Amino acid sequence: MTSRAADLLPPVRPRRAFQLSGLPVGALLAPLLLLGLWQLLCLSGVFPPQVLVPPSGVARTLEEMALSGELQRHLGDSMRRLLLGFAIGAAAGMAFGVTIALSRLAEAALSPLFLTLWQVPVIAFVPMMVMFLGIDEPFKLAVVAIAAFFPMALATFDGIRGVPKSWFEVAKVYRLSLFQLIRRILLPATVPAVLTGLRVSLTRAWVVLVAAELLAADSGLGQMMEMGRQLFQIDVVLAGVIVTGLVGFLLDRGARWVESHATRWRAA
Amino acid sequence: MSAHPHAREDKPPQSVQHGALSVRDLDKSFQIGGRPHKVLDGINLDVRPGEFVSIVGASGCGKSTLLRLIVGLDTDYSGELRLDGERIATTSLDRGIIFQDHRLFPWMTLEQNVELALLNTDTPKDRRAKIVADHIALVNLTGFEKAYPHQLSGGMAQRAAIARALVTEPRLLLLDEPLGALDALTRVHVQNELQRIWMAQRSTMVMVTHDVEEALYLGDRVIVMSPNPGRIRRIVDVDLPHPRDRRSPLLHRLKDEILAELTSGADADAADNLVHLPSREPR
Ligand SMILES: Nc1ncnc2c1ncn2[C@@H]1O[C@H](COP(=O)(O)OP(=O)(O)O)[C@@H](O)[C@H]1O
Ligand SMILES: [Mg+2]
């Protein structure tokens, strides 16, 4: 006869490390500090201004590129690739995860290969893919899809395998059909894991896409940076770095927001 | 596997005809380390329609296994299990079960959790909401229909599980230590409710508990089981009308008897098993 402390506590709202709306002032402290140091370093004259462009210069470049529409063009191309490639990769990953989670045979046959390939950095596939696909859109979509595929497959697999046996028993007691079991128990039970998988694979896909564009592309944020490097326009490179980071940050935040709102029923 | 929930509404609760459970020569073994390990040995038991039977026994003596066999979650046994003469081969909406953990689905509200049980009954769709509300009221949770399980206390969640199990009006309701995780006070409270619900519904109920007092307070009979392998050691009739008074001398006398019975073997074992820890030896 034990009394569980959890019974006596009021329900707690899901804990979130950061709020999307109303960013705490503290969150701005580190970036501002970094900008200050950067500006100071430029003023000190240790590096020539062509090598280390001051933040003000990068800001000016960003503004110019935004006004000319060049930034939007690159960003738009990257985002289009990201979303399309991600949709393909995540859907395939989800289907694959469901398959190996539900079929022991499929798991035995496919999971060793899957786990081996998973250890290979996606970028390592790039040279081979360039040979087969060239450097046009199919190549970039494939890179993004592969990057999204693995975390998604793994999260889906874990999500389904993590459904407690006791829930299957409840379904059996109430005579749920297979379709009812999937729709009412398995799907909602795996939603949290799948959403986490979507977030991880989305941000992973973004990083890999920009890296792939750096290596081989004719447009996109990565290519913008690579062109800047070749033309020794370090301000353009730094502008690309900042935009890449911001986009990644916002993708992560957006996905977290969806996650916490879709799983409001979860206790802390 | 036809269920007829709510078909009994027109009959007075006294005229219980359904829910006779018969267990004949039931044996059950598990394979442990490649060898069969007998968990239940020659269980014979008849439960009358509308009766409340409690089962007590040492942990590991096969009480949960017995309930899982009766409810149809495990069908690998020898012997015979029948409900109203019909052989038990799988789960059925005629047989409900409540586990120690409430097993409510965390993404469904209380209401949705209870309604899930009606999914495959022939209850008309337009009556379901009313029936769900009635059963939520029955366990005194009106007002919490839209609450998620994590917003309910342990006692409330267990009462919600009771509502879900009763909403199909099973002929037989099995309860596996349903109040085991509750604190002492909540427990007494839910015991009272369980008695009230049973008196109102008169489903046959078989409840496993490790609390002898609880077994006696609720049970028309108390089955005392012994372990290794699980056998019925004794069946105690509790000849008191419901609702009962916890202070009844009969209950206290029977409690002492059953406790003596349960601990007699254990004490002998404990003496044999006493391990002397060298570091704790008196100096
Ligand atoms: N799925 C299983 N596989 C193997 N052994 C089991 C399984 N379930 C229960 N047992 C064994 O059966 C015995 C009885 O278990 P159980 O019915 O849970 O006991 P009780 O509910 O009386 O505590 C225990 O020794 C337990 O280890
Ligand atoms: Mg048990």
Side-chain angles (χ1 to χ4, degrees), chain A residues 113-134 139-140 142-150 208 212 215:
Chain A
L113 175 67
F114 171 81
L115 291 171
T116 308
L117 287 177
W118 195 54
Q119 301 303 321
V120 182
V122 181
I123 290 299
F125 293 113
V126 165
M128 220 172 59
M129 282 164 46
V130 169
M131 287 199 315
F132 287 106
L133 299 172
F139 156 69
K140 277 154 274 179
V143 170
V144 173
I146 289 175
F149 176 84
F150 285 94
V208 170
L215 293 175

PDB file of all heavy atoms in Angstrom, chain A residues 113-134 139-140 142-150 208 212 215:
ATOM      1  N   LEU A 113      21.792  -4.319 -42.738  1.00  0.00           N
ATOM      2  CA  LEU A 113      22.189  -3.437 -43.838  1.00  0.00           C
ATOM      3  C   LEU A 113      21.860  -1.993 -43.489  1.00  0.00           C
ATOM      4  O   LEU A 113      22.670  -1.072 -43.657  1.00  0.00           O
ATOM      5  CB  LEU A 113      21.452  -3.853 -45.119  1.00  0.00           C
ATOM      6  CG  LEU A 113      21.678  -2.929 -46.325  1.00  0.00           C
ATOM      7  CD1 LEU A 113      23.116  -3.014 -46.792  1.00  0.00           C
ATOM      8  CD2 LEU A 113      20.722  -3.276 -47.459  1.00  0.00           C
ATOM      9  N   PHE A 114      20.645  -1.814 -42.968  1.00  0.00           N
ATOM     10  CA  PHE A 114      20.188  -0.474 -42.599  1.00  0.00           C
ATOM     11  C   PHE A 114      21.126   0.154 -41.571  1.00  0.00           C
ATOM     12  O   PHE A 114      21.571   1.288 -41.723  1.00  0.00           O
ATOM     13  CB  PHE A 114      18.768  -0.582 -42.031  1.00  0.00           C
ATOM     14  CG  PHE A 114      18.247   0.690 -41.419  1.00  0.00           C
ATOM     15  CD1 PHE A 114      17.725   1.689 -42.223  1.00  0.00           C
ATOM     16  CD2 PHE A 114      18.296   0.886 -40.051  1.00  0.00           C
ATOM     17  CE1 PHE A 114      17.252   2.864 -41.660  1.00  0.00           C
ATOM     18  CE2 PHE A 114      17.833   2.055 -39.482  1.00  0.00           C
ATOM     19  CZ  PHE A 114      17.306   3.046 -40.294  1.00  0.00           C
ATOM     20  N   LEU A 115      21.452  -0.621 -40.538  1.00  0.00           N
ATOM     21  CA  LEU A 115      22.274  -0.059 -39.459  1.00  0.00           C
ATOM     22  C   LEU A 115      23.702   0.218 -39.927  1.00  0.00           C
ATOM     23  O   LEU A 115      24.350   1.133 -39.441  1.00  0.00           O
ATOM     24  CB  LEU A 115      22.282  -1.004 -38.247  1.00  0.00           C
ATOM     25  CG  LEU A 115      20.926  -1.079 -37.548  1.00  0.00           C
ATOM     26  CD1 LEU A 115      20.912  -2.179 -36.493  1.00  0.00           C
ATOM     27  CD2 LEU A 115      20.573   0.266 -36.913  1.00  0.00           C
ATOM     28  N   THR A 116      24.168  -0.576 -40.894  1.00  0.00           N
ATOM     29  CA  THR A 116      25.508  -0.331 -41.441  1.00  0.00           C
ATOM     30  C   THR A 116      25.523   0.952 -42.258  1.00  0.00           C
ATOM     31  O   THR A 116      26.387   1.818 -42.080  1.00  0.00           O
ATOM     32  CB  THR A 116      25.938  -1.518 -42.325  1.00  0.00           C
ATOM     33  OG1 THR A 116      25.766  -2.712 -41.580  1.00  0.00           O
ATOM     34  CG2 THR A 116      27.386  -1.371 -42.754  1.00  0.00           C
ATOM     35  N   LEU A 117      24.548   1.053 -43.155  1.00  0.00           N
ATOM     36  CA  LEU A 117      24.490   2.247 -44.010  1.00  0.00           C
ATOM     37  C   LEU A 117      24.289   3.504 -43.175  1.00  0.00           C
ATOM     38  O   LEU A 117      24.765   4.579 -43.520  1.00  0.00           O
ATOM     39  CB  LEU A 117      23.343   2.119 -45.024  1.00  0.00           C
ATOM     40  CG  LEU A 117      23.595   1.121 -46.158  1.00  0.00           C
ATOM     41  CD1 LEU A 117      22.370   1.029 -47.048  1.00  0.00           C
ATOM     42  CD2 LEU A 117      24.816   1.547 -46.962  1.00  0.00           C
ATOM     43  N   TRP A 118      23.587   3.314 -42.042  1.00  0.00           N
ATOM     44  CA  TRP A 118      23.289   4.463 -41.204  1.00  0.00           C
ATOM     45  C   TRP A 118      24.566   5.078 -40.635  1.00  0.00           C
ATOM     46  O   TRP A 118      24.613   6.255 -40.313  1.00  0.00           O
ATOM     47  CB  TRP A 118      22.350   4.032 -40.070  1.00  0.00           C
ATOM     48  CG  TRP A 118      21.718   5.164 -39.379  1.00  0.00           C
ATOM     49  CD1 TRP A 118      21.012   6.171 -39.954  1.00  0.00           C
ATOM     50  CD2 TRP A 118      21.739   5.430 -37.983  1.00  0.00           C
ATOM     51  NE1 TRP A 118      20.571   7.040 -39.006  1.00  0.00           N
ATOM     52  CE2 TRP A 118      21.006   6.613 -37.774  1.00  0.00           C
ATOM     53  CE3 TRP A 118      22.288   4.767 -36.874  1.00  0.00           C
ATOM     54  CZ2 TRP A 118      20.818   7.161 -36.512  1.00  0.00           C
ATOM     55  CZ3 TRP A 118      22.095   5.308 -35.625  1.00  0.00           C
ATOM     56  CH2 TRP A 118      21.383   6.495 -35.439  1.00  0.00           C
ATOM     57  N   GLN A 119      25.594   4.238 -40.513  1.00  0.00           N
ATOM     58  CA  GLN A 119      26.851   4.725 -39.939  1.00  0.00           C
ATOM     59  C   GLN A 119      27.662   5.556 -40.935  1.00  0.00           C
ATOM     60  O   GLN A 119      28.639   6.186 -40.561  1.00  0.00           O
ATOM     61  CB  GLN A 119      27.714   3.545 -39.458  1.00  0.00           C
ATOM     62  CG  GLN A 119      27.053   2.663 -38.417  1.00  0.00           C
ATOM     63  CD  GLN A 119      26.620   3.435 -37.200  1.00  0.00           C
ATOM     64  OE1 GLN A 119      27.323   4.340 -36.758  1.00  0.00           O
ATOM     65  NE2 GLN A 119      25.460   3.124 -36.665  1.00  0.00           N
ATOM     66  N   VAL A 120      27.252   5.493 -42.214  1.00  0.00           N
ATOM     67  CA  VAL A 120      28.010   6.224 -43.235  1.00  0.00           C
ATOM     68  C   VAL A 120      27.490   7.657 -43.318  1.00  0.00           C
ATOM     69  O   VAL A 120      26.294   7.853 -43.468  1.00  0.00           O
ATOM     70  CB  VAL A 120      27.857   5.535 -44.612  1.00  0.00           C
ATOM     71  CG1 VAL A 120      28.693   6.261 -45.655  1.00  0.00           C
ATOM     72  CG2 VAL A 120      28.249   4.073 -44.513  1.00  0.00           C
ATOM     73  N   PRO A 121      28.365   8.647 -43.225  1.00  0.00           N
ATOM     74  CA  PRO A 121      27.893  10.026 -43.379  1.00  0.00           C
ATOM     75  C   PRO A 121      27.274  10.208 -44.764  1.00  0.00           C
ATOM     76  O   PRO A 121      27.819   9.692 -45.744  1.00  0.00           O
ATOM     77  CB  PRO A 121      29.164  10.873 -43.257  1.00  0.00           C
ATOM     78  CG  PRO A 121      30.217   9.970 -42.725  1.00  0.00           C
ATOM     79  CD  PRO A 121      29.815   8.570 -42.996  1.00  0.00           C
ATOM     80  N   VAL A 122      26.144  10.893 -44.803  1.00  0.00           N
ATOM     81  CA  VAL A 122      25.442  11.032 -46.079  1.00  0.00           C
ATOM     82  C   VAL A 122      26.344  11.653 -47.139  1.00  0.00           C
ATOM     83  O   VAL A 122      26.294  11.291 -48.320  1.00  0.00           O
ATOM     84  CB  VAL A 122      24.164  11.883 -45.887  1.00  0.00           C
ATOM     85  CG1 VAL A 122      23.417  12.014 -47.205  1.00  0.00           C
ATOM     86  CG2 VAL A 122      23.274  11.259 -44.834  1.00  0.00           C
ATOM     87  N   ILE A 123      27.204  12.570 -46.695  1.00  0.00           N
ATOM     88  CA  ILE A 123      28.096  13.258 -47.628  1.00  0.00           C
ATOM     89  C   ILE A 123      29.019  12.277 -48.349  1.00  0.00           C
ATOM     90  O   ILE A 123      29.442  12.511 -49.480  1.00  0.00           O
ATOM     91  CB  ILE A 123      28.927  14.323 -46.850  1.00  0.00           C
ATOM     92  CG1 ILE A 123      28.006  15.467 -46.415  1.00  0.00           C
ATOM     93  CG2 ILE A 123      30.065  14.864 -47.676  1.00  0.00           C
ATOM     94  CD1 ILE A 123      27.335  16.191 -47.564  1.00  0.00           C
ATOM     95  N   ALA A 124      29.304  11.132 -47.725  1.00  0.00           N
ATOM     96  CA  ALA A 124      30.181  10.136 -48.341  1.00  0.00           C
ATOM     97  C   ALA A 124      29.538   9.524 -49.579  1.00  0.00           C
ATOM     98  O   ALA A 124      30.226   8.968 -50.427  1.00  0.00           O
ATOM     99  CB  ALA A 124      30.517   9.037 -47.336  1.00  0.00           C
ATOM    100  N   PHE A 125      28.201   9.632 -49.673  1.00  0.00           N
ATOM    101  CA  PHE A 125      27.529   9.101 -50.863  1.00  0.00           C
ATOM    102  C   PHE A 125      27.595  10.078 -52.035  1.00  0.00           C
ATOM    103  O   PHE A 125      27.269   9.729 -53.157  1.00  0.00           O
ATOM    104  CB  PHE A 125      26.053   8.804 -50.563  1.00  0.00           C
ATOM    105  CG  PHE A 125      25.847   7.690 -49.585  1.00  0.00           C
ATOM    106  CD1 PHE A 125      25.316   7.939 -48.333  1.00  0.00           C
ATOM    107  CD2 PHE A 125      26.181   6.387 -49.920  1.00  0.00           C
ATOM    108  CE1 PHE A 125      25.123   6.911 -47.428  1.00  0.00           C
ATOM    109  CE2 PHE A 125      25.994   5.354 -49.013  1.00  0.00           C
ATOM    110  CZ  PHE A 125      25.472   5.612 -47.772  1.00  0.00           C
ATOM    111  N   VAL A 126      28.008  11.317 -51.746  1.00  0.00           N
ATOM    112  CA  VAL A 126      27.892  12.363 -52.766  1.00  0.00           C
ATOM    113  C   VAL A 126      28.699  12.063 -54.033  1.00  0.00           C
ATOM    114  O   VAL A 126      28.137  12.118 -55.136  1.00  0.00           O
ATOM    115  CB  VAL A 126      28.246  13.753 -52.168  1.00  0.00           C
ATOM    116  CG1 VAL A 126      28.482  14.770 -53.268  1.00  0.00           C
ATOM    117  CG2 VAL A 126      27.128  14.220 -51.257  1.00  0.00           C
ATOM    118  N   PRO A 127      29.993  11.693 -53.926  1.00  0.00           N
ATOM    119  CA  PRO A 127      30.750  11.464 -55.169  1.00  0.00           C
ATOM    120  C   PRO A 127      30.089  10.435 -56.066  1.00  0.00           C
ATOM    121  O   PRO A 127      29.958  10.636 -57.282  1.00  0.00           O
ATOM    122  CB  PRO A 127      32.100  10.948 -54.658  1.00  0.00           C
ATOM    123  CG  PRO A 127      32.200  11.438 -53.260  1.00  0.00           C
ATOM    124  CD  PRO A 127      30.819  11.514 -52.729  1.00  0.00           C
ATOM    125  N   MET A 128      29.615   9.332 -55.448  1.00  0.00           N
ATOM    126  CA  MET A 128      28.992   8.282 -56.222  1.00  0.00           C
ATOM    127  C   MET A 128      27.697   8.777 -56.865  1.00  0.00           C
ATOM    128  O   MET A 128      27.406   8.501 -58.030  1.00  0.00           O
ATOM    129  CB  MET A 128      28.674   7.132 -55.281  1.00  0.00           C
ATOM    130  CG  MET A 128      28.944   5.787 -55.864  1.00  0.00           C
ATOM    131  SD  MET A 128      28.739   4.563 -54.564  1.00  0.00           S
ATOM    132  CE  MET A 128      27.063   4.828 -54.060  1.00  0.00           C
ATOM    133  N   MET A 129      26.945   9.536 -56.079  1.00  0.00           N
ATOM    134  CA  MET A 129      25.669  10.015 -56.593  1.00  0.00           C
ATOM    135  C   MET A 129      25.861  11.023 -57.719  1.00  0.00           C
ATOM    136  O   MET A 129      25.066  11.064 -58.659  1.00  0.00           O
ATOM    137  CB  MET A 129      24.842  10.619 -55.456  1.00  0.00           C
ATOM    138  CG  MET A 129      24.215   9.506 -54.619  1.00  0.00           C
ATOM    139  SD  MET A 129      23.616  10.043 -53.042  1.00  0.00           S
ATOM    140  CE  MET A 129      22.765  11.481 -53.450  1.00  0.00           C
ATOM    141  N   VAL A 130      26.922  11.815 -57.612  1.00  0.00           N
ATOM    142  CA  VAL A 130      27.184  12.772 -58.685  1.00  0.00           C
ATOM    143  C   VAL A 130      27.468  12.010 -59.982  1.00  0.00           C
ATOM    144  O   VAL A 130      26.996  12.388 -61.053  1.00  0.00           O
ATOM    145  CB  VAL A 130      28.367  13.693 -58.310  1.00  0.00           C
ATOM    146  CG1 VAL A 130      28.813  14.509 -59.519  1.00  0.00           C
ATOM    147  CG2 VAL A 130      27.972  14.614 -57.170  1.00  0.00           C
ATOM    148  N   MET A 131      28.178  10.883 -59.856  1.00  0.00           N
ATOM    149  CA  MET A 131      28.473  10.095 -61.053  1.00  0.00           C
ATOM    150  C   MET A 131      27.205   9.562 -61.689  1.00  0.00           C
ATOM    151  O   MET A 131      27.061   9.537 -62.898  1.00  0.00           O
ATOM    152  CB  MET A 131      29.387   8.922 -60.695  1.00  0.00           C
ATOM    153  CG  MET A 131      30.804   9.388 -60.424  1.00  0.00           C
ATOM    154  SD  MET A 131      32.039   8.078 -60.543  1.00  0.00           S
ATOM    155  CE  MET A 131      31.336   6.734 -59.669  1.00  0.00           C
ATOM    156  N   PHE A 132      26.277   9.121 -60.862  1.00  0.00           N
ATOM    157  CA  PHE A 132      25.061   8.511 -61.410  1.00  0.00           C
ATOM    158  C   PHE A 132      23.990   9.536 -61.748  1.00  0.00           C
ATOM    159  O   PHE A 132      23.272   9.390 -62.721  1.00  0.00           O
ATOM    160  CB  PHE A 132      24.484   7.480 -60.430  1.00  0.00           C
ATOM    161  CG  PHE A 132      25.296   6.229 -60.369  1.00  0.00           C
ATOM    162  CD1 PHE A 132      26.100   5.955 -59.276  1.00  0.00           C
ATOM    163  CD2 PHE A 132      25.280   5.324 -61.434  1.00  0.00           C
ATOM    164  CE1 PHE A 132      26.866   4.803 -59.232  1.00  0.00           C
ATOM    165  CE2 PHE A 132      26.042   4.175 -61.396  1.00  0.00           C
ATOM    166  CZ  PHE A 132      26.848   3.911 -60.292  1.00  0.00           C
ATOM    167  N   LEU A 133      23.878  10.563 -60.920  1.00  0.00           N
ATOM    168  CA  LEU A 133      22.746  11.481 -61.078  1.00  0.00           C
ATOM    169  C   LEU A 133      23.153  12.843 -61.624  1.00  0.00           C
ATOM    170  O   LEU A 133      22.295  13.664 -61.900  1.00  0.00           O
ATOM    171  CB  LEU A 133      22.034  11.671 -59.726  1.00  0.00           C
ATOM    172  CG  LEU A 133      21.442  10.416 -59.097  1.00  0.00           C
ATOM    173  CD1 LEU A 133      20.948  10.701 -57.698  1.00  0.00           C
ATOM    174  CD2 LEU A 133      20.319   9.870 -59.963  1.00  0.00           C
ATOM    175  N   GLY A 134      24.460  13.088 -61.752  1.00  0.00           N
ATOM    176  CA  GLY A 134      24.897  14.423 -62.143  1.00  0.00           C
ATOM    177  C   GLY A 134      24.733  15.375 -60.976  1.00  0.00           C
ATOM    178  O   GLY A 134      24.574  14.946 -59.830  1.00  0.00           O
ATOM    179  N   PHE A 139      19.934  14.815 -58.050  1.00  0.00           N
ATOM    180  CA  PHE A 139      21.034  14.566 -57.111  1.00  0.00           C
ATOM    181  C   PHE A 139      20.740  15.219 -55.758  1.00  0.00           C
ATOM    182  O   PHE A 139      20.835  14.594 -54.699  1.00  0.00           O
ATOM    183  CB  PHE A 139      22.343  15.094 -57.710  1.00  0.00           C
ATOM    184  CG  PHE A 139      23.384  15.428 -56.689  1.00  0.00           C
ATOM    185  CD1 PHE A 139      23.990  14.416 -55.956  1.00  0.00           C
ATOM    186  CD2 PHE A 139      23.760  16.746 -56.445  1.00  0.00           C
ATOM    187  CE1 PHE A 139      24.951  14.712 -55.006  1.00  0.00           C
ATOM    188  CE2 PHE A 139      24.706  17.055 -55.495  1.00  0.00           C
ATOM    189  CZ  PHE A 139      25.301  16.027 -54.760  1.00  0.00           C
ATOM    190  N   LYS A 140      20.353  16.489 -55.796  1.00  0.00           N
ATOM    191  CA  LYS A 140      20.133  17.185 -54.529  1.00  0.00           C
ATOM    192  C   LYS A 140      18.938  16.607 -53.766  1.00  0.00           C
ATOM    193  O   LYS A 140      18.973  16.441 -52.551  1.00  0.00           O
ATOM    194  CB  LYS A 140      19.950  18.686 -54.789  1.00  0.00           C
ATOM    195  CG  LYS A 140      21.293  19.389 -54.912  1.00  0.00           C
ATOM    196  CD  LYS A 140      21.233  20.636 -55.734  1.00  0.00           C
ATOM    197  CE  LYS A 140      21.407  20.294 -57.204  1.00  0.00           C
ATOM    198  NZ  LYS A 140      21.344  21.449 -58.096  1.00  0.00           N
ATOM    199  N   ALA A 142      17.948  13.582 -53.943  1.00  0.00           N
ATOM    200  CA  ALA A 142      18.347  12.269 -53.424  1.00  0.00           C
ATOM    201  C   ALA A 142      19.149  12.429 -52.135  1.00  0.00           C
ATOM    202  O   ALA A 142      18.940  11.687 -51.169  1.00  0.00           O
ATOM    203  CB  ALA A 142      19.159  11.523 -54.480  1.00  0.00           C
ATOM    204  N   VAL A 143      20.043  13.397 -52.106  1.00  0.00           N
ATOM    205  CA  VAL A 143      20.845  13.623 -50.897  1.00  0.00           C
ATOM    206  C   VAL A 143      19.934  13.952 -49.708  1.00  0.00           C
ATOM    207  O   VAL A 143      20.065  13.380 -48.621  1.00  0.00           O
ATOM    208  CB  VAL A 143      21.859  14.760 -51.129  1.00  0.00           C
ATOM    209  CG1 VAL A 143      22.505  15.144 -49.805  1.00  0.00           C
ATOM    210  CG2 VAL A 143      22.917  14.346 -52.122  1.00  0.00           C
ATOM    211  N   VAL A 144      19.000  14.867 -49.950  1.00  0.00           N
ATOM    212  CA  VAL A 144      18.085  15.252 -48.877  1.00  0.00           C
ATOM    213  C   VAL A 144      17.238  14.054 -48.442  1.00  0.00           C
ATOM    214  O   VAL A 144      17.043  13.805 -47.241  1.00  0.00           O
ATOM    215  CB  VAL A 144      17.175  16.419 -49.340  1.00  0.00           C
ATOM    216  CG1 VAL A 144      16.124  16.712 -48.293  1.00  0.00           C
ATOM    217  CG2 VAL A 144      18.017  17.641 -49.623  1.00  0.00           C
ATOM    218  N   ALA A 145      16.752  13.314 -49.413  1.00  0.00           N
ATOM    219  CA  ALA A 145      15.885  12.169 -49.093  1.00  0.00           C
ATOM    220  C   ALA A 145      16.643  11.140 -48.262  1.00  0.00           C
ATOM    221  O   ALA A 145      16.113  10.612 -47.283  1.00  0.00           O
ATOM    222  CB  ALA A 145      15.354  11.539 -50.382  1.00  0.00           C
ATOM    223  N   ILE A 146      17.888  10.875 -48.644  1.00  0.00           N
ATOM    224  CA  ILE A 146      18.675   9.897 -47.878  1.00  0.00           C
ATOM    225  C   ILE A 146      18.908  10.409 -46.458  1.00  0.00           C
ATOM    226  O   ILE A 146      18.780   9.662 -45.481  1.00  0.00           O
ATOM    227  CB  ILE A 146      20.025   9.617 -48.584  1.00  0.00           C
ATOM    228  CG1 ILE A 146      19.771   8.823 -49.860  1.00  0.00           C
ATOM    229  CG2 ILE A 146      20.957   8.844 -47.659  1.00  0.00           C
ATOM    230  CD1 ILE A 146      21.021   8.609 -50.680  1.00  0.00           C
ATOM    231  N   ALA A 147      19.222  11.698 -46.348  1.00  0.00           N
ATOM    232  CA  ALA A 147      19.482  12.263 -45.019  1.00  0.00           C
ATOM    233  C   ALA A 147      18.241  12.151 -44.135  1.00  0.00           C
ATOM    234  O   ALA A 147      18.334  11.899 -42.938  1.00  0.00           O
ATOM    235  CB  ALA A 147      19.910  13.720 -45.150  1.00  0.00           C
ATOM    236  N   ALA A 148      17.054  12.343 -44.734  1.00  0.00           N
ATOM    237  CA  ALA A 148      15.819  12.297 -43.950  1.00  0.00           C
ATOM    238  C   ALA A 148      15.392  10.857 -43.673  1.00  0.00           C
ATOM    239  O   ALA A 148      14.783  10.566 -42.646  1.00  0.00           O
ATOM    240  CB  ALA A 148      14.707  13.034 -44.692  1.00  0.00           C
ATOM    241  N   PHE A 149      15.730   9.972 -44.590  1.00  0.00           N
ATOM    242  CA  PHE A 149      15.262   8.587 -44.516  1.00  0.00           C
ATOM    243  C   PHE A 149      15.673   7.895 -43.215  1.00  0.00           C
ATOM    244  O   PHE A 149      14.842   7.320 -42.506  1.00  0.00           O
ATOM    245  CB  PHE A 149      15.803   7.811 -45.722  1.00  0.00           C
ATOM    246  CG  PHE A 149      15.476   6.346 -45.701  1.00  0.00           C
ATOM    247  CD1 PHE A 149      14.256   5.889 -46.166  1.00  0.00           C
ATOM    248  CD2 PHE A 149      16.393   5.427 -45.203  1.00  0.00           C
ATOM    249  CE1 PHE A 149      13.953   4.534 -46.142  1.00  0.00           C
ATOM    250  CE2 PHE A 149      16.095   4.066 -45.172  1.00  0.00           C
ATOM    251  CZ  PHE A 149      14.868   3.626 -45.650  1.00  0.00           C
ATOM    252  N   PHE A 150      16.965   7.978 -42.888  1.00  0.00           N
ATOM    253  CA  PHE A 150      17.473   7.155 -41.781  1.00  0.00           C
ATOM    254  C   PHE A 150      16.909   7.540 -40.415  1.00  0.00           C
ATOM    255  O   PHE A 150      16.385   6.671 -39.699  1.00  0.00           O
ATOM    256  CB  PHE A 150      19.002   7.156 -41.796  1.00  0.00           C
ATOM    257  CG  PHE A 150      19.565   6.288 -42.889  1.00  0.00           C
ATOM    258  CD1 PHE A 150      19.893   6.829 -44.125  1.00  0.00           C
ATOM    259  CD2 PHE A 150      19.710   4.932 -42.700  1.00  0.00           C
ATOM    260  CE1 PHE A 150      20.383   6.035 -45.138  1.00  0.00           C
ATOM    261  CE2 PHE A 150      20.202   4.115 -43.708  1.00  0.00           C
ATOM    262  CZ  PHE A 150      20.541   4.669 -44.935  1.00  0.00           C
ATOM    263  N   VAL A 208      22.607  18.657 -44.448  1.00  0.00           N
ATOM    264  CA  VAL A 208      23.206  17.876 -45.519  1.00  0.00           C
ATOM    265  C   VAL A 208      22.982  18.540 -46.877  1.00  0.00           C
ATOM    266  O   VAL A 208      23.862  18.549 -47.737  1.00  0.00           O
ATOM    267  CB  VAL A 208      22.656  16.440 -45.495  1.00  0.00           C
ATOM    268  CG1 VAL A 208      23.066  15.669 -46.735  1.00  0.00           C
ATOM    269  CG2 VAL A 208      23.143  15.719 -44.242  1.00  0.00           C
ATOM    270  N   ALA A 212      25.806  19.607 -49.500  1.00  0.00           N
ATOM    271  CA  ALA A 212      25.824  19.075 -50.859  1.00  0.00           C
ATOM    272  C   ALA A 212      25.863  20.210 -51.880  1.00  0.00           C
ATOM    273  O   ALA A 212      26.542  20.110 -52.908  1.00  0.00           O
ATOM    274  CB  ALA A 212      24.594  18.195 -51.090  1.00  0.00           C
ATOM    275  N   LEU A 215      29.250  21.431 -52.402  1.00  0.00           N
ATOM    276  CA  LEU A 215      30.098  20.555 -53.209  1.00  0.00           C
ATOM    277  C   LEU A 215      29.740  20.624 -54.678  1.00  0.00           C
ATOM    278  O   LEU A 215      30.612  20.619 -55.530  1.00  0.00           O
ATOM    279  CB  LEU A 215      29.969  19.106 -52.716  1.00  0.00           C
ATOM    280  CG  LEU A 215      30.532  18.846 -51.329  1.00  0.00           C
ATOM    281  CD1 LEU A 215      30.232  17.422 -50.894  1.00  0.00           C
ATOM    282  CD2 LEU A 215      32.034  19.109 -51.310  1.00  0.00           C
TER     283      LEU A 215
END
